Amino acid sequence: MTVDRVDFATAAPKSEAAPKSAEWTGYRERGSLALLRFMAFLSMRVGRKLSRIPLFGIATYFFLFAPRARRHSRRYLRRALRREPRARDRFRHILYFATAIHDRVFLINQQYESLRITIEGEALMLEQTERGTGAILMGAHMGSFEVIGSIGRRRPGLQVSMAMYEDNARKVNSILTAIDPGVRPDIISLGHLDAMLKVAERLDRGAFVGILGDRTLGEEPVHRVSILGARAYLPTGPMRAAAILRRSVIFMVGLYRGGNHYHVVFEPVADFSASALTTRDEAVRAAVERYAALLDKYCRSDPYNWFNFFDFWQEPTHTRKPPP
């Protein structure tokens, strides 16, 4: 199979320009791999229930000493909850984030009995697997991706790869290695000329390729949408790549719902297998809007799961009118 030499970040006409440097890319990672290794060691020896106790201390630390993240969390929760968030709402938002990271330990080490996982839309995934054509799984910084990956590891024939930008790929690999030095995730590093070829190769094998589509790096084409009643800008590159590759796009999210319960959701976003070149731009915009609608839906139903602790609604420094 031959594909255009394009990348996820640039696979779209520049109808609108995003901020030159997206705010979230400048955030320094807090915490340490040493702490994560300690938590992994402790979790594997005392189990999930007891090892969760330190999470409350960690969440309290960030609640008290991360004012910028706390401020953006409050603004987001105000929109998602449709009311002024109380202190317990804001603490819960941080605690859910800490829980999703902590539970990676059990998912990566295949300790599935510690968690209760329910699935919605499993028939969609099985149907796509039987076709053998692969699909793009479009997720967000919401809930847990690892819980989705665990489904692939437990079901023969269901292969899941992850495509992400190089800096994030290094961070994820460091985190996974800290949890389990033997783990070897299939991660495609974006930003290279051969990234699309690698994605196409995985899809041709019938694998699913996951990408998180709710953040822009800044210097890439975006499409204006409405999320939680406010104007937002989502990157169009991932959808454009799916259109070029003529693949289906499926929304994925692993929602944490308290206790040890995760609810995994798969919903159709777009099917580009028969899209014509002349209508591609329109189809891409429609797919981005459908994705935005699903983000809006799950932000409202599970508001503590979207882990955007920065100004997601930051406006571009300049925009261009879309082509007629």
Side-chain angles (χ1 to χ4, degrees), residues 37-265:
R37 292 189 188 99
F38 170 75
M39 287 298 295
F41 175 84
L42 181 68
S43 300
M44 287 294 95
R45 278 150 185 81
V46 304
R48 184 176 184 271
K49 187 174 181 179
L50 289 177
S51 61
R52 274 181 58 78
I53 295 174
L55 289 187
F56 291 86
I58 294 170
T60 299
Y61 172 83
F62 282 98
F63 182 78
L64 295 175
F65 300 109
R68 184 166 58 171
R70 186 172 67 243
R71 181 173 64 252
H72 292 314
S73 170
R74 186 171 192 163
R75 290 175 179 171
Y76 156 67
L77 289 173
R78 187 182 295 127
R79 290 188 170 108
L81 298 172
R82 296 174 178 168
R83 59 172 171 81
E84 187 63 32
R86 294 182 285 270
R88 67 182 181 184
D89 294 311
R90 291 179 279 122
F91 180 79
R92 189 178 178 185
H93 192 201
I94 296 171
L95 182 61
Y96 271 41
F97 180 47
T99 298
I101 294 175
H102 176 234
D103 284 336
R104 287 175 172 177
V105 173
F106 303 98
L107 292 164
I108 291 170
N109 285 283
Q110 302 186 42
Q111 302 292 316
Y112 305 126
E113 67 278 1
S114 301
L115 302 169
R116 181 169 71 92
I117 302 172
T118 56
I119 305 174
E120 178 181 343
E122 186 173 16
L124 174 66
M125 293 293 286
L126 293 175
E127 178 184 349
Q128 193 69 44
T129 302
E130 289 173 1
R131 288 182 189 173
T133 55
I136 300 292
L137 295 178
M138 194 74 69
H141 292 79
M142 177 180 284
S144 170
F145 175 76
E146 272 73 24
V147 75
I148 298 171
S150 73
I151 294 173
R153 288 191 291 272
R154 289 188 292 170
R155 282 169 170 74
L158 187 61
Q159 306 170 56
V160 180
S161 303
M162 193 67 188
M164 60 183 65
Y165 293 97
E166 191 165 13
D167 285 347
N168 284 345
R170 282 197 297 267
K171 291 175 185 176
V172 168
N173 276 319
S174 296
I175 290 170
L176 297 181
T177 301
I179 293 173
D180 182 355
V183 70
R184 292 291 181 271
D186 185 16
I187 296 179
I188 301 168
S189 183
L190 300 178
H192 300 281
L193 291 177
D194 63 347
M196 281 281 285
L197 294 175
K198 290 180 179 179
V199 169
E201 186 271 330
R202 302 303 196 281
L203 293 170
D204 286 342
R205 291 196 330 229
F208 294 88
V209 177
I211 186 169
L212 306 183
D214 59 333
R215 293 185 185 179
T216 170
L217 289 178
E219 296 179 343
E220 61 185 293
V222 294
H223 182 56
R224 187 172 62 193
V225 297
S226 177
I227 297 177
L228 298 178
R231 182 171 59 186
Y233 296 84
L234 292 176
T236 57
M239 290 296 182
R240 172 71 46 173
I244 291 171
L245 295 171
R246 295 182 176 274
R247 304 291 175 163
S248 295
V249 179
I250 298 172
F251 180 82
M252 63 171 181
V253 65
L255 301 165
Y256 176 61
R257 290 190 163 168
N260 69 339
H261 182 205
Y262 282 88
H263 184 63
V264 176
V265 177

